Amino acid sequence: NAGVTQTPKFRVLKTGQSMTLLCAQDMNHEYMYWYRQDPGMGLRLIHYSVGEGTTAKGEVPDGYNVSRLKKQNFLLGLESAAPSQTSVYFCASSYVLSGGETQYFGPGTRLLVL
Amino acid sequence: GNSVTQMEGPVTLSEEAFLTINCTYTATGYPSLFWYVQYPGEGLQLLLKATKADDKGSNKGFEATYRKETTSFHLEKGSVQVSDSAVYFCALSVRSNFGNEKLTFGTGTRLTIIP
């Protein structure tokens, strides 16, 4: 049971390049999330998914796209990277409960955009 | 909107000292409250949670009580260890229109324990 895994761990991009971050979970969770973590700002929600084939915008969705073609995978895409997207990206997943559900986080992807 | 305010760090304490990290929140409805911990180079892990007023969450010697009257969820530990050095995030969740719960995080408090 690997939990939540993220690929890659670290990446350097030039402005304008594109890339896809992959998140995978083996806990059969319905819900998956992408966050970015920036100094002094905590974690901010980019996009999330409530099930296979569905996605929704979070707090800071601009410049990102996501897809959830399989229940266990949640992809985050940057079509044209900008220096403002330099950040640490965390994926998380959770299951349905009556309330106060726990989110399980991956180890993070550190992205540097030059 | 929803928001979480936690004490700014960094916080540096000696081993066996008493720890308090303050957290207050603003939310519509009845949120659940969480403390997550992030050890160096790792993702966030749930430390403890409370889902209704007056609940106390506890784990690994840490405690926090959901105080609705003061909208607070302060984290405490009676005797900290070097291994407690990490970044601590206070968070709240409210149920979205899709039925899942969306987390709102505080900015994090970096804690360093010196031997």
Side-chain angles (χ1 to χ4, degrees):
Chain A
N1 188 333
V4 180
T5 58
Q6 293 183 229
T7 308
K9 288 186 171 56
F10 176 70
R11 183 76 183 269
V12 179
L13 289 180
K14 294 181 179 178
T15 297
Q17 287 184 318
S18 63
M19 78 164 294
T20 300
L21 283 67
L22 171 64
C23 175
Q25 52 94 5
D26 61 2
M27 297 174 282
N28 201 34
H29 285 172
E30 287 295 329
Y31 302 139
M32 296 187 75
Y33 309 81
W34 275 108
Y35 294 90
R36 59 177 290 172
Q37 183 182 30
D38 301 294
M41 302 190 76
L43 276 75
R44 293 179 292 168
L45 182 64
I46 304 171
H47 286 282
Y48 63 101
S49 168
V50 300
E52 184 178 325
T54 69
T55 63
K57 293 181 179 179
E59 184 185 352
V60 288
D62 293 342
Y64 305 95
N65 57 75
V66 288
S67 64
R68 183 98 180 269
L69 298 179
K70 295 182 179 180
K71 186 177 183 179
Q72 63 268 34
N73 295 338
F74 194 29
L75 279 62
L76 177 71
L78 286 73
E79 291 186 349
S80 179
S84 60
Q85 294 178 304
T86 293
S87 188
V88 182
Y89 292 86
F90 288 100
C91 177
S93 69
S94 65
Y95 51 90
V96 179
L97 277 179
S98 58
E101 71 206 36
T102 300
Q103 291 188 15
Y104 295 83
F105 284 80
T109 295
R110 188 174 296 274
L111 176 65
L112 174 62
V113 183
L114 302 175
Chain B
N2 303 320
S3 66
V4 175
T5 302
Q6 61 181 105
M7 71 187 280
E8 292 189 19
V11 175
T12 302
L13 294 173
S14 298
E15 204 165 21
E16 298 183 2
F18 183 86
L19 169 70
T20 300
I21 301 179
N22 290 337
C23 172
T24 57
Y25 67 90
T26 302
T28 54
Y30 302 95
S32 297
L33 301 174
F34 304 79
W35 277 99
Y36 279 83
V37 59
Q38 184 180 29
Y39 298 104
E42 298 183 11
L44 278 70
Q45 303 173 23
L46 178 68
L47 180 60
L48 53 85
K49 69 180 182 182
T51 58
K52 61 183 187 298
D54 299 325
D55 269 3
K56 177 185 283 188
S58 61
N59 186 26
K60 299 182 181 180
F62 291 89
E63 292 183 341
T65 301
Y66 189 143
R67 301 285 188 201
K68 185 179 176 186
E69 63 276 13
T70 54
T71 62
S72 65
F73 193 54
H74 304 321
L75 182 68
E76 297 182 336
K77 187 174 184 182
S79 177
V80 292
Q81 306 300 313
V82 172
S83 58
D84 294 327
S85 298
V87 180
Y88 292 81
F89 292 91
C90 185
L92 66 83
S93 73
V94 293
R95 193 163 287 274
S96 78
N97 292 334
F98 291 104
N100 66 314
E101 298 201 14
K102 296 168 64 176
L103 281 171
T104 299
F105 287 89
T107 55
T109 301
R110 182 176 298 278
L111 174 66
T112 301
I113 307 301
I114 53 178

